[in-house]
Amino acid sequence: MTGIKTTGEKKLMLFSGRAHPELAEEVARRLAVTLVPTKVYDFANGEIYVRYQESARGADCFLIQSHTAPINKWIMEQLIMIDALKRASAASITVIIPSYGYARQDKKHKGREPISARLVADLLKSAGADRILTVDLHTDQIQGFFDGPVDHLTALPVLADYVGAKVDRSKLTIVSPDAGRVRVADRWCDRLDAPLAIVHKRRDKDVANQVTVHEVVGEVEGRVCVLVDDMIDTGGTICAAADALFAHGAEDVIVTATHGILSGPAGDRLKNSRVSEFVLTDTLPTPSELKLDKITVLSIAPTIARAVHEVFEDGSVTSLFEEQQ
């Protein structure tokens, strides 16, 4: 016999950056694995050092890191961790990004602007990522920025099932906060068998987060309206949309979003809003000072864990959502 015969068994290893360790630990628990011990620290000048304390040679490695604030630091840490896995001879590197940074910069609105979402994709690929696994990108076409497989998960089943179980379906109306969310809102309507309404708005291109709400298209008077969006940042857009719904006679407004960025004045806006409940997932850590009674955070860990298992077993990630229709 020539050569060496091996058992050929695959090995899954789960790694985590420092951005959102609670989510990584929950994913690990649901996969019945432990996070690989990792030595990570900052030098005095801000440079990041990474060293894994177990061998990753020949393993299928999954690295989870949410792009939360300070976003540039955590993206850089993730790139360094990918590079460390590549140089540790990992068999494959799947990068799990529950919340993808710079996703709103996915096209040029005016001349001399960058397409930063594409830049982040290029950086991940150059660092050594073989596959991307993410949740609810700002726009679906961002998947095309990657030169390799992308598993685009959605939190819609988690959010919609929670809302559907607590409201009177006969009074429910799904509301898109702008034209860009209509397709997602349609999927909510199909799942909950509810009518659709749209808030028409105009954004000031020269002032970030500045929105003027114009009118509501659809019947919302006396209805329980569920505003569906992919993220809440400063809260200006979604609170203005909720105000427009109340002005048109809505009985109650519930807001759902996958990513709770909740930066700047978001805390005060959500607290003072007439919205009865903000339903988010834990793709990003919720700041302790913003853990208000009206904010409900649902776990995205089961969805991510099932997707990781399907990728590792060469199964179908798409089937996870087809079976929930």
Side-chain angles (χ1 to χ4, degrees), residues 18 40-50 73 76-77 80:
R18 295 175 291 172
V40 187
Y41 59 82
D42 299 333
F43 288 108
N45 67 347
E47 292 181 2
I48 299 170
Y49 173 85
V50 172
K73 175 179 180 177
M76 190 64 200
E77 179 177 280
I80 292 171

Side-chain angles (χ1 to χ4, degrees), residues 33-59:
V33 301
T34 57
L35 292 171
V36 175
T38 306
K39 187 175 183 179
V40 187
Y41 59 82
D42 299 333
F43 288 108
N45 67 347
E47 292 181 2
I48 299 170
Y49 173 85
V50 172
R51 182 176 185 272
Y52 303 116
Q53 296 181 303
E54 290 183 9
S55 172
R57 185 179 299 274

Side-chain angles (χ1 to χ4, degrees), residues 199-219:
V199 176
H200 174 65
K201 71 176 185 179
R202 185 178 298 275
R203 185 182 297 275
D204 189 332
K205 295 182 179 179
D206 298 316
V207 182
N209 303 310
Q210 186 67 42
V211 173
T212 301
V213 175
H214 288 273
E215 61 182 9
V216 175
V217 180
E219 183 57 48

